[in-house]
């Protein structure tokens, strides 16, 4: 039997799925076009195996593993914000240079005005919020297509960044908390405390959710699936921590380098926050509703214009966070901060991870998975001495494949009625 039936004292029968039925249902959804992040996860595994085999001595080293976090942090954080915009079927082409402008505001306040680090950080984040309000207002209230608004902002923010930096000046930020965000690592003890604590909290949340659904006589997932999910996260975090707490310094006698990069808990913190917002709040349900059918959402009483404005605010806020991480990693800000491939990689991370360009489908975890795919491609090809041109071509092909898979999945879902 694939399911079991439990009859409560009130005579209500609740069907309890088994592991076999749960797996069969999941496979049915995949065949129906609901692929989620599956293609990206499989692609990431294949890429890791390819580069790991080609450069075993360097790719799987603790130093390179840590570098992947620092390399991908800025792009992943910007991509998290873009997912909110993409869920509504909109686009933000200005996120890269918005990140640069916010980073420049922070650097200028730190170096030229002697502002403290907390206030400089707040100013950068506040700048992102103001940018998001402006973009959202023009899209939602004025009615200008987001492509046009953000393309104009892309050009304008590039000019703003040049003016802030005096036509090409490079501003180095002083040593301190901000510079450590995407450069330094947590102490070994705190690395383990964080990993074990994260697993414990995740397990507790899973247990409480399972018990809550059971008390309300709702269908619950099999215990085996829940245990497998917890074990998978535990294996991922604990193995990663074991690798990252190894000595990575070239000359440990001069300076030791161990521990989880600070960028990792920063990414994890925002992942938990925005996953909760999208999956566990009324606001998150409204975002999906507007992305799925804006007119139906409006008739249901959802403030569609406010939702549109809010996603651009979140997008630009996360662009500011990503800009802070980019400046931290470089140790300075220049006219190219947030430019070059930053925006393309951020959009690519969201789409490759499984977020739809057509709106209504996506999760914050997609930014992390997609960002990891892009970082592995860039890093692995660099270790193999592949030219920059070939790396761009490979990333472009993978992005095209991801968009194609999304389009085909939507077509299959429409054909089978699994929307």
């Amino acid at each position: 039997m694939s399911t079991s039936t439990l009859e409560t004292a009130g005579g209500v029968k609740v069907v309890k799925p088994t592991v076999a039925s749960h797996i069969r249902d999941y496979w049915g959804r995949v065949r129906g076009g609901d692929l989620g992040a599956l293609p990206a996860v499989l692609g990431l595994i294949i890429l890791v195996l390819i580069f790991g085999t080609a450069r075993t001595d360097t790719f799987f080293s603790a130093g390179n593993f840590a570098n992947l976090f620092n390399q991908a942090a800025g792009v992943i954080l910007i991509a998290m914000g873009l997912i909110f915009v993409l869920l509504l079927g909109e686009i933000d082409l200005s996120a890269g240079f918005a990140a640069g402008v916010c980073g420049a505001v922070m650097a200028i306040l730190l170096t030229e005005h002697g502002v403290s680090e907390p206030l400089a950080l707040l100013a950068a984040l506040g700048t992102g919020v103001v940018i998001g309000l402006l973009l959202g207002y023009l899209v939602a209230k004025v009615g200008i297509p987001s492509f046009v608004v953000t393309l104009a902002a892309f050009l304008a923010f590039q000019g703003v960044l040049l003016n802030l930096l005096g036509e090409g000046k490079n501003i180095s930020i002083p040593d301190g908390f901000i510079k450590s965000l995407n450069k330094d690592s947590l102490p070994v003890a705190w690395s383990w405390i964080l990993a074990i604590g994260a697993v414990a909290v995740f397990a507790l949340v899973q247990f409480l959710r399972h018990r809550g659904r059971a008390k309300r006589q709702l269908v619950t997932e099999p215990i085996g699936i829940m245990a497998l999910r917890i074990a998978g996260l535990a294996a991922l975090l604990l193995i990663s921590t074991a690798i990252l707490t190894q000595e990575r310094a070239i000359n440990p006698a001069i300076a030791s380098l161990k521990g989880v990069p600070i960028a990792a808990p920063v990414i994890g913190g925002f992942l938990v926050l925005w996953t909760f917002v999208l999956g566990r709040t009324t606001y998150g349900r409204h975002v999906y509703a507007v992305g799925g059918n804006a007119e139906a959402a409006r008739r249901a009483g959802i403030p569609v214009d406010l939702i549109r404005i809010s996603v651009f605010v979140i997008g630009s806020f996360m662009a500011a966070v990503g800009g802070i991480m980019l400046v931290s990693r470089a140790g300075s800000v220049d006219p190219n901060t947030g430019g070059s491939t930053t925006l393309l990689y951020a959009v690519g991370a969201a789409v490759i991870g499984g977020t739809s360009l057509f709106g209504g489908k996506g999760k914050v975890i997609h930014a992390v998975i997609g960002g990891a795919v892009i970082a592995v491609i860039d890093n692995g090809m660099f270790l193999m001495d592949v030219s920059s041109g070939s790396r761009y071509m490979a990333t472009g092909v993978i992005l095209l494949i991801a968009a194609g898979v999304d389009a085909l999945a939507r077509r299959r879902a429409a054909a089978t009625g699994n929307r």
Side-chain angles (χ1 to χ4, degrees):
M1 293 288 291
S2 60
T3 60
S4 60
T5 303
L6 174 67
E7 185 167 345
T8 64
V12 179
K13 293 185 176 181
V14 179
V15 178
K16 299 179 67 177
T18 63
V19 173
S21 67
H22 187 87
I23 294 174
R24 190 163 51 250
D25 290 343
Y26 173 74
W27 178 243
R29 293 196 302 272
V30 170
R31 293 184 62 186
D34 185 10
L35 300 178
L38 180 61
V41 172
L42 293 177
L44 180 60
I45 293 172
I46 292 170
L47 288 169
V48 168
L49 292 175
I50 291 173
F51 293 129
T53 303
R55 290 288 185 272
T56 306
D57 55 334
T58 53
F59 185 79
F60 284 132
S61 67
N64 190 58
F65 189 30
N67 181 59
L68 284 170
F69 282 98
N70 298 129
Q71 180 180 340
V75 167
I76 288 175
L77 291 165
I78 295 173
M80 285 184 184
L82 286 174
I83 282 176
F84 281 81
V85 178
L86 291 173
L87 280 173
L88 265 60
E90 306 287 358
I91 189 68
D92 185 358
L93 300 176
S94 68
F97 278 114
V101 168
C102 295
V105 168
M106 177 187 70
I108 290 171
L109 290 176
L110 282 173
T111 59
E112 298 182 8
H113 299 280
V115 173
S116 65
E117 287 191 317
L119 289 179
L121 283 171
L122 288 176
L125 298 175
T127 301
V129 170
V130 171
I131 289 173
L133 284 170
L134 175 61
L135 298 178
Y137 179 84
L138 292 173
V139 172
K141 296 296 186 181
V142 180
I144 306 174
S146 60
F147 179 86
V148 177
V149 170
T150 58
L151 178 60
F154 169 86
L155 298 171
F157 293 155
Q158 192 170 2
V160 170
L161 184 58
L162 283 170
N163 287 330
L164 285 173
L165 299 177
E167 296 292 339
K169 183 171 59 175
N170 183 301
I171 300 178
S172 298
I173 60 172
D175 293 337
F177 173 74
I178 294 175
K179 201 169 185 176
S180 70
L181 283 173
N182 206 14
K183 278 184 175 294
D184 294 347
S185 300
L186 296 171
V188 171
W190 278 107
S191 298
W192 281 109
I193 291 171
L194 184 66
I196 295 171
V199 173
V201 170
F202 181 76
L204 179 62
V205 169
Q206 293 291 308
F207 171 75
L208 292 176
R209 186 171 68 175
H210 187 277
R211 190 177 68 173
R213 290 184 64 85
K215 281 187 175 181
R216 296 195 300 272
Q217 299 179 2
L218 299 174
V219 176
T220 59
E221 68 179 5
I223 293 292
I225 295 294
M226 184 178 71
L228 186 62
R229 186 181 296 115
I230 296 170
L233 180 69
L236 178 65
L237 292 184
L238 297 180
I239 292 173
S240 297
T241 303
I243 295 172
L244 292 169
T245 50
Q246 295 176 12
E247 183 61 67
R248 306 194 298 269
I250 297 175
N251 192 344
I254 298 176
S256 180
L257 182 58
K258 297 179 182 179
V260 173
I262 296 175
V266 172
I267 294 171
F270 280 108
L271 172 62
V272 171
L273 169 64
W274 295 127
T275 298
F276 174 81
V277 168
L278 276 181
R280 298 292 171 184
T281 66
T282 301
Y283 171 77
R285 290 190 289 274
H286 286 177
V287 170
Y288 282 112
V290 174
N293 189 322
E295 186 56 35
R298 193 187 310 276
R299 293 180 180 180
I302 296 174
V304 173
D305 287 350
L306 288 179
I307 295 295
R308 289 191 187 280
I309 293 173
S310 69
V311 297
F312 280 97
V313 171
I314 292 173
S316 295
F317 173 83
M318 290 307 296
V321 176
I324 291 168
M325 298 300 281
L326 291 174
V327 173
S328 173
R329 184 167 191 253
S332 63
V333 61
D334 60 58
N336 197 43
T337 301
S340 185
T341 59
T342 302
L343 171 68
L344 301 178
Y345 278 4
V347 175
V351 176
I352 290 171
T355 298
S356 175
L357 286 168
F358 302 98
K361 187 181 106 178
K363 297 179 180 179
V364 182
I365 188 64
H366 293 166
V368 179
I369 298 171
V373 170
I374 291 176
V376 166
I377 293 172
D378 204 38
N379 178 271
M381 287 191 166
F382 174 79
L383 293 176
M384 294 176 65
D385 295 323
V386 177
S387 67
S388 297
S390 297
R391 296 205 298 271
Y392 292 152
M393 290 169 63
T395 306
V397 168
I398 290 177
L399 174 57
L400 184 61
I401 291 173
V405 168
D406 176 42
L408 292 174
R410 287 179 63 86
R411 184 182 303 174
R412 182 168 181 80
T416 59
N418 182 29
R419 287 186 61 86

